[in-house]
Amino acid sequence: MAASAADMFSFCMDPGKVALGVEVRFIDNVKGKGLFAKRRIKKGEVIFIERPLVCAQFLWNALYKYKACEYCLRALETAEENARRLAGNPALSLPYPELCPVQAQLHTVCPQCQVMYCSAECRQAAADQYHRALCLGPSHEDPDHPVNKLKDAWRSMHYPPETSSIMLMGRMVATVKQAKDKAHWQKLFSHFCSRTANEEEELAHKLLGDKFRGQLVVLQDLFKEALYYDHLSRWFLPEGFRSLFALVGTNGQGIGTSSLSQWVHACDAVELPSQQRAQLDSFIDQLYKDIERETGDFLNVEGSGLFVLQSSCNHSCVPNAEASFPDNNFLLHLSALSDIEAGQEICISYLDCCQRDRSRHSRHKILRENYMFICSCIKCTSQTDDPNMTSEEEEDDEAEAEGETEGDDMEDEMTDV
């Protein structure tokens, strides 16, 4: 059986405490570790449920008024509030409002800095783990506070779509700072790969090169000013900061939550007469068209987290497992996309569906720059003799990006981590 959510809470405090149907094994010096099945897993089965050691909402996402629980990233807007904002229609009314899962009466705030939580339990959990060290109190809106200066600098260098957040690193620091057993938390964070280069493949992360050196120096200085803690002094030195930056960049798992999508799923499950079903489906289709016209694809509360088990999963362009967040919070469900035999490696994809459909050359380019390895999965191996041609879609993207660069004298920004 898959581990329960309660078991996974224990697991995150002490990996190895919970007996799961998976195990982490060392593979070799190139791939490092991997996650393997200890038993047969059927297609569609939830392999495990895991919560992150730390997570954080993307800073642009928060600035664009996507309200989320500061601790678990649960969306705080009701489905109707969310739909009104995204569609630009303050008079919009959703049918079946009782299907919205948001319980606004349970929402609460930190009395000092006013950040929001979905429940008193999340507020207490955040306070116990990291928030006391990060709470800005009455300075939460002061642009000159060192933490806010750090956030502003990150946003100025890292435009949407974000894939990580400097505050993920901040919460790592704050967690160790508040912990009674600091060595235990440092050991947990050491489970994640933090190399800044793959020397065997002669690859380096694209954001740790000369092109972004000046931006990294600025971020390091602001990070030190805002969060310095003597016990973690190596994290604030140039090489330690680069390693920390690489850690969140290569291990951070995206998290997405949405009260609107939860409402839509609930509507799909309701049994209705055929005419009412057609009317509801038509309403939802039109709603998404209105949202696409007003907002585009930027729909959900988005953030990233560090998951111990999930981060042990290696990449494949033909994955046999995928992560999802059906509880509308930070709990990651890893589910099997196909039958997995005992002893078989469990692999996810670091690429989205569209990227996986690109040429081998295109896929390798993305993986080299962002994850510092060359894929040798069954799909890539079967395409070894394919010409090194970049997919047309990527060529169009690159041509567009080059055109924007030529017309813009601004320093290159960190558009991906």
Side-chain angles (χ1 to χ4, degrees):
M1 292 178 61
S4 68
D7 285 340
M8 286 315 308
F9 273 76
S10 299
F11 173 84
C12 286
M13 295 298 101
D14 185 6
K17 190 184 232 183
V18 181
L20 299 167
V22 298
E23 62 180 350
V24 178
R25 297 183 197 164
F26 178 77
I27 300 175
D28 55 42
N29 290 328
V30 176
K31 294 187 74 173
K33 61 188 177 183
L35 192 69
F36 292 82
K38 294 171 65 177
R39 57 173 179 81
R40 189 172 189 274
I41 299 169
K42 294 182 180 180
K43 179 180 178 179
E45 183 179 343
V46 176
I47 303 169
F48 60 75
I49 301 171
E50 182 180 15
R51 78 164 186 175
L53 298 183
V54 289
C55 69
Q57 185 181 8
F58 295 148
L59 294 178
W60 279 106
N61 192 264
L63 192 67
Y64 287 156
K65 303 187 186 305
Y66 288 82
K67 296 180 182 178
C69 175
E70 184 78 0
Y71 182 67
C72 77
L73 295 189
R74 186 182 299 277
L76 298 181
E77 288 180 300
T78 65
E80 188 167 85
E81 290 170 338
N82 190 217
R84 286 175 173 177
R85 181 171 60 82
L86 295 177
N89 182 1
L92 178 67
S93 294
L94 295 187
Y96 306 102
E98 69 277 6
L99 297 179
C100 174
V102 174
Q103 296 179 284
Q105 73 277 11
L106 299 180
H107 296 176
T108 185
V109 300
C110 168
Q112 281 75 44
C113 69
Q114 306 303 306
V115 298
M116 298 183 68
Y117 298 95
C118 68
S119 65
E121 290 78 12
C122 275
R123 186 182 73 182
Q124 189 61 53
D128 290 344
Q129 183 181 336
Y130 59 80
H131 185 67
R132 288 196 298 271
L134 285 177
C135 183
L136 303 190
S139 300
H140 68 282
E141 292 184 348
D142 179 3
D144 292 324
H145 190 283
V147 170
N148 288 332
K149 287 166 66 176
L150 176 64
K151 291 179 179 179
D152 286 342
W154 175 264
R155 280 192 293 259
S156 72
M157 299 174 188
H158 196 298
Y159 297 119
E162 289 174 277
T163 54
S164 190
S165 172
I166 195 76
M167 293 314 296
L168 202 58
M169 298 160 62
R171 289 187 181 181
M172 292 171 67
V173 172
T175 294
V176 175
K177 188 173 184 178
Q178 282 193 207
K180 292 181 180 179
D181 189 347
K182 302 182 189 307
H184 175 67
W185 276 98
Q186 286 178 274
K187 183 179 178 182
L188 287 177
F189 290 132
S190 74
H191 283 280
F192 300 97
C193 173
S194 60
R195 62 183 178 180
T196 58
N198 181 341
E199 294 179 358
E200 294 195 29
E201 299 287 356
E202 297 183 347
L203 300 173
H205 196 285
K206 68 179 183 181
L207 295 187
L208 296 176
D210 292 339
K211 189 176 179 181
F212 298 108
R213 188 177 302 278
Q215 294 180 345
L216 281 172
V217 170
V218 170
L219 284 175
Q220 181 198 338
D221 289 344
L222 291 171
F223 188 72
K224 184 174 183 178
E225 180 186 359
L227 300 163
Y228 184 78
Y229 179 46
D230 189 62
H231 191 82
L232 295 171
S233 58
R234 64 182 179 84
W235 283 4
F236 296 88
L237 297 173
E239 190 53 41
F241 181 75
R242 286 165 58 86
S243 294
L244 198 61
F245 198 81
L247 186 155
V248 299
T250 56
N251 293 278
Q253 164 66 46
I255 300 171
T257 65
S258 169
S259 52
L260 179 59
S261 67
Q262 291 277 299
W263 173 82
V264 170
H265 287 312
C267 286
D268 289 342
V270 173
E271 293 186 8
L272 295 172
S274 58
Q275 184 176 357
Q276 291 183 33
R277 167 55 60 190
Q279 290 175 340
L280 179 57
D281 289 347
S282 177
F283 175 87
I284 292 172
D285 288 344
Q286 185 59 50
L287 174 60
Y288 275 113
K289 289 177 182 176
D290 293 342
I291 289 173
E292 184 176 5
R293 184 177 59 252
E294 181 72 20
T295 308
D297 296 329
F298 196 32
L299 301 181
N300 302 331
V301 166
E302 294 180 350
S304 63
L306 296 176
F307 296 83
V308 174
L309 272 183
Q310 177 272 340
S311 72
S312 299
C313 293
N314 284 312
H315 164 82
S316 172
C317 297
V318 280
N320 57 14
E322 69 176 355
S324 63
F325 297 88
D327 296 325
N328 203 36
N329 62 7
F330 62 10
L331 287 179
L332 180 150
H333 292 229
L334 192 78
S335 302
L337 293 173
S338 59
D339 290 344
I340 303 172
E341 301 301 326
Q344 185 178 351
E345 185 175 6
I346 299 170
C347 293
I348 59 176
S349 178
Y350 300 170
L351 307 174
D352 61 33
C353 293
C354 293
Q355 290 171 331
R356 291 202 297 273
D357 287 337
R358 293 181 178 182
S359 68
R360 175 179 179 269
H361 180 68
S362 296
R363 299 195 306 273
H364 280 203
K365 181 176 184 292
I366 297 168
L367 294 170
R368 283 197 310 269
E369 292 182 343
N370 293 288
Y371 301 100
M372 298 180 294
F373 72 91
I374 296 173
C375 184
S376 58
C377 73
I378 187 171
K379 182 175 181 177
C380 288
T381 302
S382 70
Q383 297 174 344
T384 300
D385 294 331
D386 288 2
N388 285 334
M389 295 293 290
T390 304
S391 301
E392 289 183 10
E393 181 182 351
E394 186 182 343
E395 287 178 346
D396 291 342
D397 290 344
E398 289 178 347
E400 182 179 343
E402 288 173 4
E404 291 174 355
T405 302
E406 289 172 1
D408 191 346
D409 294 330
M410 290 179 63
E411 183 179 7
D412 289 314
E413 73 276 1
M414 295 177 173
T415 54
D416 201 3
V417 168

